[in-house]
Amino acid sequence: MRSSHLGVFGTGTPLAVLLPGSGSDEVFVRAAFTDPLRTLGYDVHAPAPGSGAGVVQSYLDALDEAAKRGVPLVVGGVSLGAQVAARWAAARSSRGDRTVVGLLLALPAWTGPPSDAPAALAASLTASAVRRDGLAATVAATRAQTPDWLGAELARAWSGHGSGLADSLDAAAASPGPDAADLTALRVPVGLVGMTDDPIHPLSVAEDWLTHLPRAALVTMPLRELGADPANLGRAATTAWLRAGGGAG
């Protein structure tokens, strides 16, 4: 598995740590967020997912490591990554920590326990398919049912997870999202992004988060804009963050 350790960044430069979604990878996150955040003066770190069932813990470890750098920190991610970052930031806020100056949360998938959330069900079904049919057959079946850009993204990312993919997906499906109390505890500016036509990440979840977050803005976009350029997702997130009161590093 690729290294998740922080690279060498400018001394004192504000840092943004963005986490991939379930079954996704750091390649997509970098493509989405690097340019929009560099425009605001932030170095960007997108950790590679940890192996198998340890994926969530690998994200928490990456966030803990980043917090030790002593620079203003923006955290967030996509789907699972957004949920892990939100819960981590809420826990630190409850202890009086002020390291985190903002959050970028794209495509939130559920609030609190996963229950029957579409993204959790999809992750579990994919994990079962990988174990039953193998990775190659599962990738082929998925590509036949998804837009070309999404099928290509998933094929690359899933292959990168290797033999740990099924366990990683199951861990994601069982991971709780932030609950109402967690979201209310996030008093820094938050940029939310929701898709208008994504059945796996219903817009209603982003709208629910918005009702609980004290300082947040929501930008919506259709999936075709994400397919045209992943950086459209990062631009939407940073636009929402600026509207919520965030600023350049």
Side-chain angles (χ1 to χ4, degrees), residues 58-166:
S58 76
Y59 289 170
L60 295 172
D61 291 344
L63 292 168
D64 286 341
E65 183 180 356
K68 297 174 183 177
R69 296 180 69 86
V71 298
L73 186 63
V74 169
V75 300
V78 182
S79 190
L80 172 69
Q83 297 177 189
V84 172
R87 293 183 66 222
W88 178 88
R92 292 187 73 92
S93 178
S94 69
R95 299 195 298 268
D97 185 278
R98 297 293 179 264
T99 303
V100 176
V101 299
L103 292 97
L104 305 176
L105 307 177
L107 282 63
W110 58 78
T111 307
S115 302
D116 58 352
L121 294 175
S124 294
L125 288 172
T126 302
S128 295
V130 169
R131 293 190 178 101
R132 182 184 66 245
D133 304 325
L135 177 60
T138 304
V139 167
T142 300
R143 296 193 74 161
Q145 300 170 30
T146 57
D148 289 345
W149 68 269
L150 180 56
E153 283 287 343
L154 293 175
R156 185 204 66 252
W158 289 358
S159 296
H161 282 266
S163 61
L165 176 62

Side-chain angles (χ1 to χ4, degrees), residues 189-218:
V190 179
L192 281 168
V193 181
M195 293 291 163
T196 57
D197 55 353
D198 182 355
I200 301 299
H201 303 90
L203 180 58
S204 60
V205 178
E207 291 171 337
D208 177 57
W209 286 24
L210 184 64
T211 66
H212 299 294
L213 290 162
R215 298 176 63 191
L218 170 64

Side-chain angles (χ1 to χ4, degrees), residues 1 9 26 38 43-44 49 66 71 88 92 106-107 110 120 155 161 167 193-194 213 220 225 234 241-242 248:
M1 184 59 64
F9 298 109
E26 74 282 8
R38 281 183 177 165
D43 282 331
V44 176
V71 298
W88 178 88
R92 292 187 73 92
L107 282 63
W110 58 78
H161 282 266
D167 287 345
V193 181
L213 290 162
T220 64
E225 291 187 10
W241 185 52
L242 292 171

